[in-house]
Amino acid sequence: MEHRMNCSEVQNLIPQYLSGELDDDTRREVEEHISGCPDCQEGMRREQSLGDLIGQSADDPPEEYWDSYNDKVRSRIRGVVGMLWRLGILAGCLAGLIGGFAEHMGIWNFASSSTCPPLLRTIEMWCLVVGLAVVLGFLFKRFSTYGLPRYERDETSLKHAIAMNPVYRWTLVSLFVLLLLGAAVYLPLAFIQSPFMPGWAVWTLRVLVFIGFASGIPGSCRTITDYLDGRDLHAEWARKSIKQRLTAYPIVTITMLLLMVTCEWQVGMLKYVNAPMECRQRADALFSSGDTQSAVSILESGIRKYGDRYGVLDCYTRLGEIYKKTGHPAEARDTYRAGTRAYKYLVRHPKSYYRKQDRLRLLSDAANLYFRLGENKSAFDVSTVRLQTGPDDAENIFSVALDYECAGYKDEAKVLYDRITIEFPNTLWAHAAKDCLNAPH
Amino acid sequence: MSDGELVAGMQAGSADAFDALVERYRKSIYRLAKAMTQNHDAAGDLSQETFVLAYRRIRQLKNPESFGPWLRKILVNLCIRRSAKIMPASLEDHEIESPESPSADAERNMVRDKVRNAIMELDPAERTVVLLYYMEGMKQTQIADALGCPVGTVWSRLNSARCKLRGRLADLIS
């Protein structure tokens, strides 16, 4: 006997009937029942009405919302890796700059005592800084999604969190600042010769940082490799992305590069120029500890090595003094004489990268050597050159005036003292000049 | 072009194909996200993320013709996972959709609000089924596939939600 559906069964099937999910036989049976049953017709009408109400409850944003929609989706696909990479490079550059200026200001010295070649040192420093920034960014990204299902660990989840929650946003900003500070603090610690950093720790950190750097490169180059491989959608966007990177940020990139190069150049030059002075300081330390032989050999090797640098006269002066103190006046005199020859050579071969203050030091050292040799006329001439070279400030004029006086050129010294009192009244230099004028000679 | 052709194009590496698919489905996906969250920002965010994930997993799609249901499946999963983070509806959202509110629209807006509230009062699982079924026109088997549950569960949730909605919207339905 054929089963006939009752109202309850039909009412249950009405939604599927309306959505076309029923097989032909059942659909026909439902249709037959409904056509003769006012209750079920009412049920169907209510179901349609409910569907319409829910369907109409949907709402759309204004049309202009869609203008940038596809671009937003694309930029999300490009992901956060690129952003982190840019931040990492920026952090690295800033940390390097902070480091470079700290070096310049003499707050720390890592490049000075290292024996590795300058180029290698430079490369290492930048790898370290950038690598550190990248590895920190990478760790931050991983830890920020720690505990979430893999599905959620996509790059966009961090971006989502940042977009959705100001706490995340400010946490990221704070971490970024900490990253910068960390890089700036880490460098002097890791960069060796630090008394509280054992060698193995330094090398462990270096290895870790280089691993981080190496692992950061593939991620950051993803778009480029995709482009080169032409694998998938990334290819097309990578092309745009590379183009954008090449065209949109040239000013920032060039500025950063220039700053980086300038900083490196400054640091390198400073080390180059100051090398003889450091040699002299080492010799001083050895001499005061009683090791005269080592002090002499260091100064002699310094003179050989740094013969082309202005600061080398310092080494001659100190070597001559040591000879004199140890009872070798003839050697002392020879050394001073050699120093004056070095001066004559250096003054004829000026280097473009020397600063004015380096040249002033050279002239001051040369005058000192001539005094020690008793050649007052030469000392006077050198001091005059210094007066012409140096800045017309009270300090330089006063210093030259003292040299004149020591060399026995009292009238010339008096002229300079008078000049200081007239041109720089009410300064300490003017008071000192007055004292010199009034002092019994 | 059909979805299948566009998906095939996308799998072959065409950005235009993906753009076309985004263009085709963005309104529908946004609407569903908005209905599920009642929050314009979250809906925009979730809908964009749905496309991002679809892009990343396009090779996992076995049947290119079922791109639409597959996309909704991604969105539903996203909404479920993110539901704790999403803020409730805000008043500004309503201002977005009707910049000028002539009196003729006022009643329609009131009806819409009432329906939305009734949907939002549903249990999240029921709400999802109702929206996929009525708003997106998905079949029960597709919903079961999207949610990873038996068809019977979809059916019972749908029935239960329907009863509640009929009760809450009785005046509008009659």
Side-chain angles (χ1 to χ4, degrees), chain A residues 47 59 74 76 151 160, chain B residues 19 45 47 57 116 134:
Chain A
E47 175 65 19
D59 49 33
R74 277 186 213 163
R76 277 182 170 222
Y151 187 89
H160 168 85
Chain B
D19 278 345
D45 184 61
S47 65
R57 297 170 185 184
R116 276 183 213 145
Y134 287 108

Side-chain angles (χ1 to χ4, degrees), chain A residues 6 16 24 26 64 89 92 178 185 203 214 223 226 264 281 342 345 349 360 363 400 410-411 441:
Chain A
N6 58 28
Q16 282 129 298
D24 287 349
T26 319
E64 54 266 27
I89 288 176
L178 279 176
V185 172
W203 280 105
T223 46
D226 281 343
E264 282 299 313
Q281 282 168 350
Y345 169 80
H349 298 88
L360 286 178
L363 293 167
V400 171
K410 290 186 179 125
D411 293 340
H441 296 294

Side-chain angles (χ1 to χ4, degrees), chain A residues 117-138:
Chain A
L119 181 65
L120 198 63
R121 200 158 53 217
T122 303
I123 293 169
E124 188 193 43
M125 187 179 89
W126 281 102
C127 286
L128 201 71
V129 173
V130 176
L132 177 76
V134 169
V135 83
L136 284 179
F138 176 78

Side-chain angles (χ1 to χ4, degrees), chain B residues 19-162:
Chain B
D19 278 345
L21 283 167
V22 173
E23 197 99 17
R24 185 173 292 178
Y25 281 99
R26 61 190 189 185
K27 282 192 180 171
S28 151
I29 291 294
Y30 171 87
R31 261 185 224 141
L32 182 58
K34 175 78 195 287
M36 289 181 81
T37 60
Q38 288 302 319
N39 181 320
H40 169 69
D41 292 336
D45 184 61
L46 287 167
S47 65
Q48 286 169 21
E49 188 136 355
T50 302
F51 288 113
V52 171
L53 291 171
Y55 161 71
R56 293 212 173 111
R57 297 170 185 184
I58 193 68
R59 282 182 187 78
Q60 296 170 16
L61 178 60
K62 299 290 176 232
N63 177 12
E65 286 299 339
S66 64
F67 181 77
W70 181 70
L71 207 57
R72 290 183 192 107
K73 180 178 174 178
I74 293 175
L75 175 69
V76 166
N77 284 328
L78 263 182
C79 288
I80 292 168
R81 290 198 169 101
R82 298 269 170 84
S83 57
K85 294 182 198 166
I86 295 165
M87 328 277 169
S90 61
L91 282 172
E92 298 94 54
D93 286 348
H94 297 276
E95 285 162 18
I96 289 164
E97 78 232 19
S98 53
E100 74 280 348
S101 284
S103 57
D105 284 348
E107 194 185 331
R108 205 174 62 195
N109 285 339
M110 207 183 69
V111 171
R112 273 183 180 185
D113 284 349
K114 194 165 180 185
V115 175
R116 276 183 213 145
N117 288 338
I119 294 171
M120 286 307 282
E121 281 168 20
L122 290 173
D123 171 88
E126 291 174 354
R127 191 194 313 151
T128 308
V129 173
V130 161
L131 290 171
L132 290 175
Y133 188 80
Y134 287 108
M135 197 177 272
E136 296 301 309
M138 283 170 78
K139 293 186 168 44
Q140 292 190 23
T141 46
Q142 288 174 330
I143 298 173
D145 180 46
L147 299 180
C149 63
V151 182
T153 309
V154 176
W155 186 83
S156 65
R157 283 181 192 168
L158 206 51
N159 248 3
S160 155
R162 201 181 280 131

